[in-house]
Amino acid sequence: MAAISASQVKELRERTGLGMMECKKALTEAGGDIELAIENLRKSSGLKAAKKADRTAAEGAVVTRVAADGSYGVMVEINSETDFVARDDNFKAFAGKVVDALFESKSDDVAALMGGEMEDVRQQLVQKIGENISVRRAVLVEAGEGNRVGAYVHGGRIGVLTVLQGATDEAAKDVAMHVAAINPAVARPEHMAQEQLDKEKAIILAQPDMAGKPENIAEKMVQGRLKKYLAENSLTEQPFVKNPDQSVAEFVKAAGGEVIGFTRYEVGEGIEKEEVDFAKEVMEQAKRS
């Protein structure tokens, strides 16, 4: 069995708030799989949903561009090796060229774009800055009849495109801001995948307070907790970040519209990067010199 590293224990502690020994035991039982350890802890101790992993493998930026009439929008993630380069004007200019090219062609085909002249521009930038630059992904969002696309980018690192029916540009942007801040799993409760609901139901049934409950009571408890889970993870049901006294759905309805969907990008999400212990690295180099 693979050894459990201090960084794994640290991440699990940060995400669950549990003690070091409890985290190490959970990781050992899960074979080092942090997500499985969290799932097992939720089953055994009733632990609430843990914080999402915050480790990223890349720096860079998310950029968006939306048509003036709100009919469509494009969002792109472009990566660099360091945050310093992501703030460089040359990098920002390249990011602007990429999103403009995809916007004008009304496309999110990164492979096709980087198979042409834009690849030469990227290589010239790499030579100039001395750091690898890559266009990781892009999405084209089309509003559809009677709808509009809204956009919001926070700090250059989190970007959101929303689609609202019948609402204002300002409302579409405000909802995008909410998505950037709160990161809901789905737009509406009915959008939650059945597989995810089945998984959550299994976790609820395995929690200690469910033991020995009559089947009809247990089912009522499960449905109540699933309803709460959906409310917490669905955009429309969440308290609106700019006015917690109303839900996002209520805010949009007051603006004359309805939430259709959203797409959210965060720089480096889903990719892990190697964590470097600089103090240890310096000590090892000193030993070799």
Side-chain angles (χ1 to χ4, degrees):
M1 182 179 292
I4 305 302
S5 69
S7 64
Q8 288 174 300
V9 175
K10 179 175 180 288
E11 181 178 339
L12 188 57
R13 287 188 69 189
E14 289 175 348
R15 294 180 63 185
T16 63
L18 299 177
M20 182 177 71
M21 296 309 295
E22 192 171 359
C23 287
K24 187 171 183 179
K25 179 183 177 183
L27 282 166
T28 300
E29 292 175 350
D33 186 326
I34 290 177
E35 299 302 329
L36 178 59
I38 290 172
E39 185 175 330
N40 290 340
L41 283 166
R42 292 187 64 200
K43 287 179 178 178
S44 64
S45 64
L47 175 77
K48 291 183 178 180
K51 298 175 184 176
K52 294 188 177 181
D54 194 33
R55 295 165 60 190
T56 58
E59 299 299 333
V62 175
V63 289
T64 63
R65 185 175 169 189
V66 175
D69 62 359
S71 60
Y72 75 100
V74 172
M75 181 163 59
V76 188
E77 178 186 352
I78 301 172
N79 296 135
S80 59
E81 293 179 41
T82 63
D83 182 55
F84 177 78
V85 164
R87 298 194 302 268
D88 179 81
D89 288 340
N90 295 295
F91 177 89
K92 291 179 179 178
F94 173 69
K97 289 178 182 177
V98 171
V99 74
D100 285 349
L102 291 173
F103 180 84
E104 296 300 336
S105 61
K106 211 170 182 179
S107 167
D108 54 11
D109 192 337
V110 170
L113 176 68
M114 301 314 294
E117 294 180 1
M118 194 63 71
E119 174 61 14
D120 295 332
V121 178
R122 186 195 70 84
Q123 290 185 15
Q124 289 170 15
L125 181 61
V126 169
Q127 291 296 320
K128 184 173 184 178
I129 322 182
E131 191 170 303
N132 189 33
I133 306 295
S134 64
V135 181
R136 182 185 177 198
R137 54 181 173 165
V139 61
L140 167 69
V141 173
E142 297 187 80
E145 188 175 351
N147 303 336
R148 69 179 67 243
V149 174
Y152 176 75
V153 177
H154 181 76
R157 296 184 59 85
I158 300 175
V160 179
L161 293 179
T162 53
V163 179
L164 269 58
Q165 181 183 67
T168 63
D169 289 334
E170 184 178 0
K173 181 180 179 180
D174 280 345
V175 173
M177 185 185 299
H178 174 99
V179 173
I182 307 302
N183 194 12
V186 294
R188 307 164 69 91
E190 60 267 28
H191 294 170
M192 188 70 72
Q194 187 60 47
E195 181 183 358
Q196 182 59 36
L197 288 175
D198 291 342
K199 183 178 179 180
E200 190 65 23
K201 183 175 181 179
I203 289 172
I204 294 169
L205 286 170
Q207 290 172 353
D209 66 342
M210 299 296 292
K213 291 285 191 301
E215 186 176 343
N216 63 323
I217 299 298
E219 183 60 26
K220 286 183 179 179
M221 291 175 67
V222 167
Q223 292 306 315
R225 292 182 189 182
L226 281 178
K227 184 177 180 180
K228 182 180 179 183
Y229 172 81
L230 283 170
E232 291 174 345
N233 291 278
S234 303
L235 169 61
T236 54
E237 309 308 298
Q238 293 176 337
F240 181 43
V241 71
K242 293 179 72 172
N243 179 9
D245 291 333
Q246 62 180 173
S247 68
V248 171
E250 289 169 341
F251 162 73
V252 176
K253 184 177 181 180
E258 181 182 0
V259 173
I260 302 299
F262 71 87
T263 303
R264 184 183 189 275
Y265 277 1
E266 186 165 351
V267 169
E269 63 187 345
I271 310 175
E272 293 185 357
K273 67 178 177 181
E274 182 181 359
E275 295 185 4
V276 179
D277 186 334
F278 290 107
K280 182 179 180 181
E281 189 177 87
V282 170
M283 289 175 65
E284 290 178 349
Q285 288 179 354
K287 290 176 182 178
R288 291 196 294 268
S289 61

